[in-house]
Structure formats: structure tokens, C-alpha cells
Amino acid sequence: TVAAVVPTNAPPADPLIPGWFTGIWTNWHGNLQAGLNLGVGTTDRSTLYANATASKKWGRTVSSVSYNAAYGEANSVQNANLMAGKTRVDVEISPNRRTFSYGQAAAGYDEIRKIDLEYLGGGGLGYKIIDRPKRVLAGELGIQYQSFDYSTSGDQSAVAIRIGQSFTTSIEKLSITQSLGFTPGIHDLSNYQVNFFLTLSYPLFKPLTLNLNLIDQYLSQPATGVQNNDLQIQTTLGITF
């Protein structure tokens, strides 16, 4: 008896590309956002926002990337010009998956805050205080190298302790993502930064979402002539994938 051969539409595997490599580029999920703030009157102003996030989970590893940019003018004077990107990898290391290690790197610039280039990298450990399907609260502790190249004052670089916290939850259809990071310098505790991020996302209809982003960044030693705190509130439309 000759066994029947069942045809398949699957393309043959490329012997030159290992399976683990092709798997890196599949099963990513995230959100692409764009927003525009316009004002006409005593002050003519416009600000364009663009944000993107994506993540992938494989086994005990979660990889994520994010990007945000903003450009704006008020009465033909530039009042926003920034861009930043970040990548991060989390690995669950305990049997119950609550304890994890992480590594992250980021870079960007902000012309209004006189930052020609900002970059950082570091890692540490974290623990999920709450770990439920629709609610996760985690704390983190690590070490981070951070550097600021300023256009109006001397550059700064430091090795810092990083104390972090993150929270994700959903209430009915509303998704909430929040994170907080505090990084005081090891050799100078008065040199620190605080970064707070909050995103509220509500689905309008697939794949469109309405988003509210709050970004608050504080530098204890900013460039000369720049305020310590920078607050951004953005309303954007997003597309999930």
C-alpha cells in the first residue's frame, strides 16, 4: 500500500536562516499613534505627535520597543522638537514567574530642553507584587548609566541607582499603562531624574483607539536656562496591530 501524499501550501524552510532568527520578527503586537494640536487666535500654534509601542512574548522573555516624537510651533516660533526611542527585554527567572531580570537602553534629543543627545543603558531585577491576567503591579531596582549632551552648558554623565515601578490594568474597555522611574546618581544624590508615563487607551472600533498620554520628566540639574520639569499631555488616535 502506498501512502497518499498530502500537499501543503507552506513554503519550504530556508536552510540558511535558523528558525530562532525568523521567530524574532513575528508575533509582535502594539499600537501606532498620531495626534495634532491646533490653535488659532491671539496665539497661532500647532503641535504634531507621533508615538509607537510594540512588544513580543516568547516563553519567559518579553521584548518591547517604544518611540515618541513631537514637533510644534507657536506664532512661528518652535516650541517642541523632540524624539526618543527605547528598547527593553524582561526575563522571568523564578518558578512562579513573579521575579524577573531586565535590561534596557534608550536614546533621544530635545531641542527645547537644550539636549543634543541623551542616552542611557542598564539593568536590574524586578518583582511582580500583583500578577493577574488583567492587572500587574511591579517594582524594580537596578543600575543605570545615563549621559546628557547639552547645547548651553557642560555635558553630564553618571552611574545611577534606578528605582522603578510599573502598573497595567483594564477597566471594562479602558486600558491603563503607567510607569515611574527615579534615578539618583551614585556619587551625587542631588543629581537625579524622575520620569512618569501614563497612557489611557479606549477602543473606538477595530483597529482604532483613542489615547490620552501624560509624560512628566524632571531633571534636578538641567541645561542652563531650562526649567527642571517638562510636562506633556497628548490626545492621539492609534491603530493596534
Side-chain angles (χ1 to χ4, degrees):
T1 302
V2 179
V5 177
V6 179
T8 177
N9 294 325
D14 190 334
L16 300 179
I17 302 177
W20 63 264
F21 181 81
T22 57
I24 293 176
W25 312 106
T26 59
N27 297 323
W28 284 85
H29 303 280
N31 187 266
L32 304 175
Q33 301 179 17
L36 179 63
N37 178 23
L38 292 174
V40 179
T42 304
T43 301
D44 295 335
R45 57 193 182 277
S46 62
T47 306
L48 176 65
Y49 305 103
N51 304 306
T53 60
S55 64
K56 170 187 174 68
K57 182 174 177 64
W58 40 352
R60 290 177 173 265
T61 302
V62 178
S63 301
S64 60
V65 293
S66 63
Y67 167 87
N68 70 285
Y71 182 86
E73 294 183 353
N75 287 341
S76 300
V77 177
Q78 188 180 99
N79 63 2
N81 186 357
L82 64 89
M83 185 181 299
K86 177 181 177 181
T87 181
R88 174 172 168 136
V89 176
D90 295 63
V91 180
E92 298 165 334
I93 58 177
S94 64
N96 62 3
R97 299 190 176 219
R98 284 180 176 263
T99 304
F100 59 92
S101 62
Y102 74 89
Q104 63 181 14
Y109 72 87
D110 189 334
E111 288 196 4
I112 304 305
R113 301 176 76 195
K114 311 302 181 183
I115 301 175
D116 291 333
L117 176 64
E118 171 191 2
Y119 56 93
L120 62 87
L125 296 174
Y127 182 78
K128 299 176 185 177
I129 304 167
I130 299 175
D131 188 14
R132 300 174 182 171
K134 292 187 178 182
R135 185 165 300 152
V136 177
L137 172 65
E140 301 169 0
L141 180 64
I143 298 292
Q144 177 171 291
Y145 176 80
Q146 52 199 31
S147 177
F148 294 89
D149 295 345
Y150 292 125
S151 60
T152 60
S153 57
D155 300 341
Q156 294 184 17
S157 61
V159 177
I161 300 169
R162 181 180 179 274
I163 303 171
Q165 170 267 328
S166 62
F167 178 65
T168 58
T169 189
S170 58
I171 303 173
E172 299 296 335
K173 293 183 177 182
L174 179 67
S175 297
I176 302 172
T177 303
Q178 174 267 325
S179 65
L180 174 67
F182 172 57
T183 53
I186 291 178
H187 300 292
D188 182 5
L189 295 178
S190 65
N191 182 12
Y192 64 89
Q193 61 175 316
V194 181
N195 296 308
F196 177 83
F197 302 93
L198 174 66
T199 296
L200 307 180
S201 182
Y202 188 86
L204 298 176
F205 52 86
K206 286 188 177 183
L208 200 64
T209 62
L210 177 64
N211 312 284
L212 175 66
N213 302 311
L214 188 151
I215 303 172
D216 196 1
Q217 298 177 299
Y218 182 91
L219 285 174
S220 64
Q221 299 180 11
T224 303
V226 176
Q227 293 184 352
N228 297 88
N229 197 68
D230 181 71
L231 174 65
Q232 301 176 48
I233 300 177
Q234 309 171 354
T235 302
T236 63
L237 290 176
I239 297 177
T240 58
F241 61 90

